[in-house]
Structure formats: C-alpha cells, structure tokens
Amino acid sequence: MTDVGDYLSALATVNRLGFGFLLAYGTTWLAAAALWWRLGPKVGAYAALFQGMVALPLGLGLTALFAAGERPGDPTMNALSIYLAMGQLLLLPLAIVLIVRQQLLLATAFQAVVIAVHFVPYSWLYGTPLFAVLAPVIAIAVTVVVAQQDRWAGETRPGRTPGALVCLSVGVSLALGGVIALLL
C-alpha cells in the first residue's frame, strides 16, 4: 500500500488537477446554454440532462492526452474515485421527473447544485482549494438566477432566460476552473 499523501500528490500531478474534466464539462454546459437560448427551454433542459454523456468521454480523452505520466495505482483510491463519480447518477430520476413535469429550470438548477456538491471532495483529492471555490461559486450563481426568475418572466431578451443562465454560469465556472487547473 502506498502512502495516501504520495498517491494524492501523484494523482494531482498526473491529472493536472482535473483540468480535462473541468474543461470538458464546462464546454458541454456552455453548449446546453447555447441550445437553451437558441432552441428553447425544453431542448436546453434535455441538453443539460444529457451533457454528461459527451463530457465524460471528452474529459477522459483530455486527461489521457495531457497526462503528465502514468496514473498512480491504488485500488482503494481508485474505488473512491468511482464512488465519487457514481454518486452524481443518483440525481437522474428526480431530474427526469422534473423535466417530464415541465419544471425545466428547477431540473437544471438541481443538476447544477449536485455538480457543485460533487466537487467539494476533489479539493482534498487533488490537494487544491480550486474545487472548494468552484462549488460555492456555482451554488451561489444558481441561487441568484433562480431567485431572480420571476423578475425576468415574460421578458423576451435571450440573456434573461433563467435556465440558459444556470447553464452558462456552470459552464463558465467549470471552463475557467479548467484553465486555472492547467496553469497551476
């Protein structure tokens, strides 16, 4: 068994602090925002729901392409990473019910907050406060958008589409986080 500190340090170095996943998910959330603005809330909500199907392989590819060496091997820590990732899947049943009931903003906001919560342990895993900063930024941005949705009701300006703004805030946060992770 390896020392946990050594493993975490090696993992952070090899994965470049998770930049590949941050950039991949940031890009797909930005695509969901664009689809929400261009094609409407229903398409945007479905795009937000399914963006992970594109982001996961893209994140794995970016991580492999830019890896700074071999991923350290530790079965226990690898299992932890898998459990952290699998936890997000528990949001799907409720998100699907909300979309079917046409509560599109709520479904998308819920997904965004789950991603924020999912990030917190990665600050420990990669030994950086980056994820502990991204999480509340996303949570606060989503809260502000949802709180303001009634003020924007009936407006026709695309920039005031609450669901698109949720996707945009998540996408910008993650993409910017990816760039910061790569530069650190």
Side-chain angles (χ1 to χ4, degrees):
M1 181 173 173
T2 61
D3 175 68
V4 172
D6 291 342
Y7 172 86
L8 294 176
S9 178
L11 182 67
T13 300
V14 167
N15 289 339
R16 299 183 185 261
L17 302 177
F19 102 94
F21 284 97
L22 289 169
L23 192 58
Y25 279 86
T27 301
T28 57
W29 275 93
L30 289 171
L35 289 169
W36 199 302
W37 269 318
R38 293 296 225 179
L39 301 176
K42 192 169 191 174
V43 171
Y46 276 103
L49 180 65
F50 291 114
Q51 55 77 32
M53 292 174 62
V54 174
L56 178 60
L58 182 58
L60 289 169
L62 287 171
T63 299
L65 185 64
F66 289 94
E70 286 292 314
R71 180 182 168 98
D74 182 322
T76 303
M77 296 304 286
N78 288 340
L80 174 63
S81 295
I82 291 168
Y83 284 119
L84 285 172
M86 285 178 21
Q88 290 182 97
L89 297 176
L90 299 175
L91 76 86
L92 292 175
L94 179 56
I96 291 167
V97 167
L98 292 171
I99 288 173
V100 167
R101 291 186 175 179
Q102 298 298 306
Q103 296 178 347
L104 305 175
L105 173 61
L106 186 56
T108 304
F110 171 62
Q111 293 171 73
V113 170
V114 167
I115 285 194
V117 170
H118 168 76
F119 275 159
V120 176
Y122 284 88
S123 278
W124 172 78
L125 194 64
Y126 289 132
T128 176
L130 177 62
F131 293 91
V133 171
L134 287 175
V137 165
I138 291 169
I140 291 167
V142 169
T143 300
V144 168
V145 170
V146 171
Q148 295 298 314
Q149 72 175 329
D150 291 339
R151 289 185 67 207
W152 300 330
E155 288 191 27
T156 57
R157 295 187 304 176
R160 291 286 174 96
T161 305
L165 288 174
V166 166
C167 294
L168 181 66
S169 63
V170 174
V172 167
S173 298
L174 298 181
L176 184 58
V179 170
I180 291 169
L182 188 58
L183 296 175
L184 289 176

